Amino acid sequence: MERQVTLLIFLLSFGFVLGQVSYIIPEEMSKGSLVGNIAHDLGLQISRLKSGKARIFTPDSEEFVELNRERGVLLVKERIDREALCKQTTPCALHFQIILENPMEFYTVTIQVTDINDNPPIFGKHEMKFKISESAVIGATFVLERAVDLDVGVNNLKSYNLKPTDNFALKLHNSADGNKNVEMVLQKPLDREKQEQINLVLTAVDGGEPQMSGTMQIVITVLDVNDNAPVFTQKTYKATVTENSPKGTVVATVTASDADEGSNSKITYSITNALEDIINIFQVNENDGKVTLIGNTDFENSRSYQIHVLASDEGGLTDSCKLIVDVQDTNDNSPEIKIMSKSTVISEDVKLNTVVMMINIKDKDSEQNGKVKCSINENVPFILTSETNNFYSLVTDSELDRERASEYNITVSCSDEGVPSLSSSVTLTLQISDVNDNAPVFERSSYEAYIVENNTPGLSIFTVKATDADWNQNARVSYILEDSSVNGVPVSSYVSVSADSGVIHAVRSFDYEQIKDFRFHVKAQDGSSPPLSSNVTVKILIQDQNDNPPQVLYPVQTGGSVVAEMVPRSAEVGYLVTKVVAVDVDSGQNAWLSYKLQKATDRALFEVGLQNGEIRTIRQVTDKDAVKQRLTVIVEDNGQPSRSATVIVNVAVADSFPEVLSEFTDSTHDKEYNDNLTFYLWLWL
């Protein structure tokens, strides 16, 4: 088994260990096969895997690999089929994580699955049939179906061979997708009298070890020589079509016959006209000779068309005919709309019946087909009036409001009375100019913003935003800080407002312990004369910063005294020795405290509660344990960055006070203590 291990480990400040290890294994390994020694490769002890309840986590429910915690190894759990897992994608890999608890750690594992040659080349069908005339020329080519191999790399399809090679040779072409296109080339004339049917075998071979292959049968039927040309039933056909008939309309059907038998009697029809006015309007079905419309016929442009049709058999013999198509007239001219005069901009305070546009209507058709009626789209404050025949005016019909609609797209539609009726339209885009009739409006009825204490003066706090429904200068908003005071001090000594952007800046550095919040007003004023304005209330809340370390209240650290907690030697697991009590004058998460055991005379004897600071025994106290135990506990807050304090806790493991006193007063045993010590013994019951 090929196996490669790559290990990357990242230790983050918050305590998680992130690591990555990768392996390479072949597909189709049996269940229980070794993938890798994950404990060794990650530098983990077996005991850590057990105590941390190590387990595998996969994004989906299917697991191909399992973790043996007793041995610290990864094993194949289910058969891995690379083709089912990744198809043609390379490289093919499994991704999962190994999770451990207490402390929480996780490692990413990548297992690359390599291909083995377990799939032969396969053809889509077992047999291909060809019918080839004995008159086929040397060099004629015939496309063959190519094989597919599910394996990749060297195990994929490599080559083809064709047997026997008496009449045909094999020709391969490399395609853009990397596959090989296969052609059969005639290299020796066919003779139907000698051999009516030829059977060949096409073999596809891969490049794997051992080599695998697939085959397909090729059956060739040799046909007789073609010696009769097609003949049309008429030399000239005639048909009629109504102009503007829909595409796909059948105009006529031309028919030819061939006296030959078999494939030599199969006829193909085609149009030989080179002019675009024919080939862009008509097409002929190559199999049945039906001539249909693919474009539009226009009586005004052409009243008749002549189409030349060719009939060809498979031997290359042909005949031709002519199809004359007459076009019948219909109502095919839409009304023409000409704009005589128009306005593109009007003020929103214009008077009623103001003329916006004048138009002229004309239809080239006659009688009913030339009579025209016009209208405009609904729900617009305009109407269309007609003073004389073929002349219309567009006028205002109600008051305009640019803020409600700053632009109108007014469509004038005109229809004639032909059957079917034809119509046309023209659209006027009309801009409504502004007058100053709207005051600025803030996006919110009030604002709240936060700033962390100890900020730098000039710091941008946030932005107030007001919009004015008017336009241009009438909508240009300026921001003004209204006069007020905070605790008797002008608000301008606390904050400033940018007149153009509405950005509020801190003028001074704030102290959360002195001021926690304050309010002021900002006015938004437009640029018209006289201006319109509105104001909004802004509340600034000062956020606490982690600028105070935890303070240890108990045990009290005294310069000339030693405070010791007494633990009897009969203490069971979980015995409460003492409790470290600390506070943090900050607020929020900056005051959330956690307790950790930093150093200890015997780490295997004590633990500290992460949240409550309780020091408890984690095993049974024995006679072998030293009387004097010294613990260093670190207290950290949850700020970013965190701040901490440490406290030394002295613990006496003894059943009597004299035993403790002799141990702690013997200066020869602990040079770290002052000779002039006052000793306090605390008993926790």
Side-chain angles (χ1 to χ4, degrees):
M1 177 189 71
E2 178 188 10
R3 177 169 160 272
Q4 173 183 316
V5 180
T6 303
L7 173 64
L8 295 172
I9 294 181
F10 308 92
L11 180 61
L12 302 186
S13 61
F14 48 79
F16 286 15
V17 176
L18 301 181
Q20 178 175 324
V21 63
S22 62
Y23 300 97
I24 298 178
I25 63 172
E27 64 172 328
E28 303 293 348
M29 293 176 66
S30 59
K31 292 183 181 180
S33 297
L34 176 67
V35 175
N37 190 328
I38 190 69
H40 174 271
D41 296 332
L42 291 177
L44 298 175
Q45 299 294 325
I46 301 296
S47 58
R48 175 68 182 115
L49 295 180
K50 294 179 181 179
S51 64
K53 300 178 181 178
R55 66 187 186 278
I56 288 178
F57 171 78
T58 57
D60 49 35
S61 59
E62 189 171 12
E63 292 185 6
F64 293 97
V65 177
E66 62 183 352
L67 172 64
N68 185 313
R69 288 202 296 252
E70 300 297 324
R71 297 168 53 196
V73 295
L74 294 175
L75 304 175
V76 174
K77 181 179 180 181
E78 297 291 342
R79 184 181 71 89
I80 303 175
D81 184 354
R82 195 209 65 81
E83 289 73 40
L85 185 66
C86 300
K87 295 182 172 54
Q88 294 294 304
T89 302
T90 57
C92 177
L94 297 170
H95 302 278
F96 57 87
Q97 286 75 40
I98 292 183
I99 309 295
L100 295 93
E101 300 175 356
N102 300 321
M104 183 178 292
E105 301 172 347
F106 73 90
Y107 298 88
T108 296
V109 180
T110 300
I111 300 178
Q112 182 177 334
V113 182
T114 59
D115 185 49
I116 65 173
N117 192 30
D118 57 345
N119 291 280
I122 299 174
F123 289 95
K125 49 189 175 182
H126 298 294
E127 183 180 80
M128 287 190 72
K129 294 183 178 181
F130 291 91
K131 293 181 180 181
I132 305 175
S133 173
E134 64 178 339
S135 62
V137 297
I138 301 300
T141 60
F142 306 89
V143 178
L144 302 178
E145 179 181 330
R146 65 190 186 189
V148 175
D149 194 322
L150 297 179
D151 292 322
V152 296
V154 296
N155 297 325
N156 202 345
L157 184 63
K158 181 179 181 181
S159 62
Y160 295 88
N161 61 72
L162 182 68
K163 291 182 180 181
T165 57
D166 297 338
N167 296 92
F168 294 90
L170 202 60
K171 186 176 182 180
L172 303 179
H173 299 281
N174 291 324
S175 60
D177 61 2
N179 293 311
K180 296 180 182 296
N181 294 325
V182 190
E183 291 181 348
M184 183 173 63
V185 182
L186 182 64
Q187 62 180 3
K188 181 180 178 182
L190 301 177
D191 189 337
R192 183 171 177 274
E193 286 69 28
K194 290 183 178 180
Q195 191 175 10
E196 293 185 5
Q197 180 172 301
I198 300 174
N199 296 310
L200 305 177
V201 177
L202 178 64
T203 302
V205 181
D206 66 23
E209 288 291 341
Q211 194 174 66
M212 305 183 77
S213 63
T215 60
M216 179 178 65
Q217 300 292 322
I218 300 174
V219 180
I220 300 172
T221 301
V222 182
L223 303 178
D224 198 3
V225 176
N226 179 32
D227 54 3
N228 290 286
V231 178
F232 277 103
T233 58
Q234 298 174 226
K235 281 297 181 181
T236 301
Y237 295 82
K238 291 186 177 181
T240 302
V241 65
T242 302
E243 68 172 329
N244 301 320
S245 294
K247 295 179 181 179
T249 298
V250 178
V251 177
T253 300
V254 295
T255 305
S257 60
D258 193 308
D260 288 323
E261 295 182 355
S263 62
N264 291 333
S265 64
K266 184 178 180 181
I267 296 173
T268 301
Y269 299 92
S270 61
I271 293 177
T272 61
N273 297 67
L275 298 177
E276 291 185 355
D277 62 345
I278 299 294
I279 61 177
N280 289 341
I281 298 175
F282 302 94
Q283 74 173 7
V284 63
N285 186 295
E286 64 176 12
N287 296 317
D288 58 18
K290 287 184 179 179
V291 179
T292 56
L293 288 176
I294 60 172
N296 295 323
T297 54
D298 188 350
F299 180 82
E300 285 72 32
N301 290 336
S302 179
R303 300 187 179 187
S304 180
Y305 297 93
Q306 291 190 11
I307 306 171
H308 298 283
V309 181
L310 183 71
S312 305
D313 65 17
E314 290 194 353
L317 302 180
T318 63
D319 190 21
S320 63
C321 72
K322 180 169 64 176
L323 171 62
I324 299 174
V325 180
D326 293 326
V327 181
Q328 292 181 340
D329 188 28
T330 61
N331 178 34
D332 61 343
N333 288 286
S334 301
E336 296 178 4
I337 305 175
K338 293 185 178 180
I339 298 176
M340 302 170 60
S341 178
K342 67 177 181 179
S343 298
T344 56
V345 180
I346 60 172
S347 175
E348 64 178 326
D349 59 355
V350 297
K351 296 179 180 180
L352 295 180
N353 297 318
T354 298
V355 177
V356 176
M357 180 174 64
M358 294 175 59
I359 58 176
N360 171 251
I361 311 299
K362 182 180 179 181
D363 193 312
K364 292 180 180 179
D365 292 322
S366 59
E367 299 180 355
Q368 293 300 114
N369 294 336
K371 292 183 179 180
V372 178
K373 293 182 179 180
C374 297
S375 62
I376 63 171
N377 48 304
E378 298 179 353
N379 301 321
V380 293
F382 305 93
I383 57 173
L384 196 62
T385 63
S386 178
E387 288 79 13
T388 60
N389 290 337
N390 300 329
F391 290 92
Y392 292 85
S393 295
L394 183 69
V395 299
T396 58
D397 185 49
S398 60
E399 292 182 353
L400 305 177
D401 186 352
R402 194 207 67 84
E403 288 69 47
R404 201 167 56 232
S406 62
E407 180 181 282
Y408 289 95
N409 291 312
I410 308 164
T411 300
V412 179
S413 301
C414 299
S415 303
D416 63 27
E417 296 183 5
V419 179
S421 176
L422 298 179
S423 63
S424 58
S425 63
V426 64
T427 299
L428 170 67
T429 300
L430 184 64
Q431 303 286 341
I432 310 301
S433 63
D434 184 56
V435 295
N436 189 34
D437 55 357
N438 291 277
V441 177
F442 283 95
E443 292 180 341
R444 303 180 190 174
S445 59
S446 63
Y447 289 85
E448 280 190 4
Y450 297 85
I451 184 172
V452 178
E453 67 173 334
N454 303 318
N455 59 284
T456 303
L459 178 70
S460 171
I461 303 177
F462 79 112
T463 302
V464 294
K465 180 69 175 178
T467 57
D468 194 310
D470 292 321
W471 177 251
N472 208 354
Q473 188 68 23
N474 296 333
R476 187 171 298 168
V477 179
S478 298
Y479 301 91
I480 301 169
L481 180 65
E482 294 198 323
D483 293 335
S484 63
S485 62
V486 177
N487 297 331
V489 179
V491 70
S492 58
S493 66
Y494 285 81
V495 294
S496 65
V497 180
S498 172
D500 295 328
S501 64
V503 176
I504 296 178
H505 296 272
V507 174
R508 61 168 63 181
S509 178
F510 296 108
D511 186 349
Y512 177 81
E513 283 69 32
Q514 293 182 5
I515 182 171
K516 292 180 172 55
D517 63 78
F518 61 97
R519 290 179 173 83
F520 56 92
H521 299 285
V522 175
K523 180 170 70 174
Q525 178 176 287
D526 66 26
S528 184
S529 182
L532 300 177
S533 65
S534 61
N535 59 33
V536 70
T537 300
V538 179
K539 181 179 180 181
I540 303 295
L541 296 99
I542 314 302
Q543 289 184 321
D544 184 45
Q545 193 177 50
N546 191 29
D547 53 357
N548 293 282
Q551 299 176 6
V552 178
L553 303 181
Y554 184 84
V556 179
Q557 301 294 288
T558 58
S561 302
V562 175
V563 178
E565 314 293 338
M566 186 170 177
V567 178
R569 294 189 179 275
S570 60
E572 299 291 338
V573 176
Y575 178 86
L576 177 62
V577 179
T578 188
K579 181 176 181 179
V580 177
V581 181
V583 295
D584 195 321
V585 297
D586 291 320
S587 64
Q589 68 176 10
N590 295 331
W592 297 350
L593 301 181
S594 60
Y595 302 81
K596 298 176 184 178
L597 185 60
Q598 188 179 47
K599 291 189 299 183
T601 304
D602 186 350
R603 277 188 170 274
L605 185 56
F606 302 99
E607 67 176 3
V608 179
L610 181 65
Q611 303 298 332
N612 56 25
E614 293 180 350
I615 299 177
R616 293 180 181 271
T617 60
I618 58 176
R619 65 170 175 80
Q620 176 72 45
V621 179
T622 67
D623 293 335
K624 295 181 179 180
D625 291 320
V627 174
K628 183 170 59 177
Q629 301 283 337
R630 181 182 174 93
L631 312 179
T632 301
V633 178
I634 182 169
V635 185
E636 292 182 320
D637 62 26
N638 199 40
Q640 292 295 331
S642 66
R643 304 175 74 96
S644 63
T646 59
V647 60
I648 296 174
V649 180
N650 294 291
V651 179
V653 180
D655 292 322
S656 64
F657 180 79
E659 181 183 358
V660 175
L661 186 61
S662 63
E663 181 71 22
F664 276 81
T665 55
D666 188 358
S667 61
T668 61
H669 288 75
D670 193 348
K671 299 300 183 180
E672 295 180 4
Y673 290 80
N674 191 291
D675 290 337
N676 300 315
L677 294 178
T678 301
F679 182 79
Y680 296 88
L681 179 63
W682 293 84
L683 300 178
W684 290 77
L685 301 177

